[in-house]
């Protein structure tokens, strides 16, 4: 606890090493996954955990939609999964719901939270409960095309390349520090569906890779930027 407090203090002026206090080099990080839909990115994360390319285990899956496909995917893998009431707002968790979601994750021992198609904005107490440990993936090269259906936005705008961004979550919408990005070319004959499908293929590779960089502590957050951590640095 003392080391965690020191790391939090260091983050105010010097950036935060994203790795939690070490308990043992072989210990797997406990990961919570939040979703609203089919959960294809959750599937990629869970597969990476099983394969050992992501040094984590999915401890809990939560969904704000009762029949979200992500819940079935988790159940099929034997991973605890449940629907929780998101509260009275359409685009975010209300205060009561936020507290319940945080408690569920903490009770499961979750250290990092990955958003996998979660369609609500997280703010306030939730982000304070997991400081710089909430991660999202977005289907564009942020800061271009934030928000919904980014692949359609890119196609309508006429860009030649779009892509995928993994970023940490802050109080804004798709505005947190960028962890990693990958490009996807836009073809002349693309439709929204074909472009989205190719973006998802890249997402399923990039998300586990970025999560591994974060949970292993090889990425350091320094203001708006992320950098490779220097071994032995304070």
């Amino acid at each position: 606890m003392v080391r965690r407090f020191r790391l939090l203090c260091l983050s105010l002026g010097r950036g935060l090493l994203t790795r939690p206090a070490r308990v043992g080099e072989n210990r797997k990080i406990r990961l919570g996954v939040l979703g609203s839909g089919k959960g294809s990115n959750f599937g990629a994360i869970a597969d990476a955990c099983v394969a050992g390319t992501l040094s984590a285990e999915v401890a809990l899956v939560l969904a704000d939609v009762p029949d979200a496909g992500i819940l079935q995917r988790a159940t099929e893998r034997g991973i605890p999964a449940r629907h929780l009431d998101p509260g009275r707002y359409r685009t975010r968790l209300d205060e009561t719901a936020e507290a319940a979601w945080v408690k569920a994750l903490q009770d499961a021992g979750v250290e990092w939270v990955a958003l996998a198609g979660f369609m609500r904005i997280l703010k306030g107490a939730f982000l304070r409960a997991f400081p710089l440990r909430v991660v999202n993936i977005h289907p564009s090269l942020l800061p271009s095309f934030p928000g919904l259906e980014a692949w359609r936005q890119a196609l309508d705008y006429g860009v030649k390349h779009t892509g995928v961004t993994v970023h940490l979550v802050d109080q804004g919408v798709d505005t947190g520090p960028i962890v990693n990005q990958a490009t996807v070319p836009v073809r002349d004959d693309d439709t929204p569906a074909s472009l989205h499908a190719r973006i998802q293929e890249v997402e399923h590779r990039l998300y586990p890779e970025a999560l591994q960089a974060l949970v292993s502590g090889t990425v350091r957050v320094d203001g708006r930027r992320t950098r490779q951590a220097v071994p032995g640095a304070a």
Side-chain angles (χ1 to χ4, degrees), residues 198-219:
R198 292 206 320 285
I199 287 173
Q200 284 188 311
E201 290 178 3
V202 175
E203 286 180 343
H204 297 164
R205 171 183 58 80
L206 191 69
Y207 208 179
E209 289 177 358
L211 286 170
Q212 175 61 20
L214 287 166
V215 303
S216 65
T218 60
V219 169

Side-chain angles (χ1 to χ4, degrees), residues 150-201:
W151 59 91
R152 188 183 298 272
Q153 294 182 55
L155 197 60
D156 290 346
Y157 199 86
V159 298
K160 299 303 182 183
H161 289 83
T162 184
V164 176
T165 302
V166 179
H167 65 94
L168 294 166
V169 177
D170 62 9
Q171 297 279 348
V173 177
D174 301 325
T175 56
I178 291 170
V179 178
N180 205 351
Q181 292 181 304
T183 60
V184 176
V186 180
R187 298 172 181 168
D188 291 344
D189 61 349
D190 261 330
T191 64
S194 66
L195 180 56
H196 187 207
R198 292 206 320 285
I199 287 173
Q200 284 188 311
E201 290 178 3

Side-chain angles (χ1 to χ4, degrees), residues 7-227:
L7 286 173
L8 185 59
C9 291
L10 283 170
S11 72
L12 297 177
R14 299 176 57 186
L16 176 67
L17 268 173
T18 58
R19 182 171 187 166
R22 294 183 180 180
V23 175
E25 288 300 321
N26 297 321
R27 185 177 71 86
K28 291 186 175 181
I29 297 299
R30 291 181 66 80
L31 185 67
V33 181
L34 277 53
S36 302
K38 296 179 181 179
S40 65
N41 273 309
F42 156 71
I45 291 169
D47 288 346
C49 290
V50 172
T53 55
L54 174 54
S55 304
E57 58 182 337
V58 180
L60 180 64
V61 172
L62 297 177
D64 60 332
V65 178
D67 59 350
I70 192 173
L71 296 176
Q72 181 177 348
R73 284 177 181 260
T75 300
E76 290 171 350
R77 286 172 165 79
I79 296 172
R82 55 197 262 213
H83 163 257
L84 282 183
D85 184 2
R88 63 186 184 276
Y89 300 124
R90 185 174 63 87
T91 59
R92 65 181 178 90
L93 303 177
D94 69 19
E95 292 79 3
T96 301
E98 189 174 61
W101 284 60
V102 168
K103 184 177 187 303
L105 293 165
Q106 291 179 335
D107 287 350
V110 166
E111 299 162 277
W112 285 81
V113 177
L115 308 186
F118 188 62
M119 303 306 291
R120 293 178 184 270
I121 300 168
L122 297 175
K123 291 183 175 289
F126 195 103
L127 297 181
R128 288 193 294 272
F130 301 96
L132 289 180
R133 292 187 189 172
V134 181
V135 192
N136 187 39
I137 190 163
H138 184 76
S140 78
L141 295 174
L142 291 173
S144 296
F145 311 124
L148 299 176
E149 296 193 333
W151 59 91
R152 188 183 298 272
Q153 294 182 55
L155 197 60
D156 290 346
Y157 199 86
V159 298
K160 299 303 182 183
H161 289 83
T162 184
V164 176
T165 302
V166 179
H167 65 94
L168 294 166
V169 177
D170 62 9
Q171 297 279 348
V173 177
D174 301 325
T175 56
I178 291 170
V179 178
N180 205 351
Q181 292 181 304
T183 60
V184 176
V186 180
R187 298 172 181 168
D188 291 344
D189 61 349
D190 261 330
T191 64
S194 66
L195 180 56
H196 187 207
R198 292 206 320 285
I199 287 173
Q200 284 188 311
E201 290 178 3
V202 175
E203 286 180 343
H204 297 164
R205 171 183 58 80
L206 191 69
Y207 208 179
E209 289 177 358
L211 286 170
Q212 175 61 20
L214 287 166
V215 303
S216 65
T218 60
V219 169
R220 182 184 181 90
V221 182
D222 186 7
R224 284 289 317 161
R225 303 185 65 181
T226 60
R227 309 174 187 271

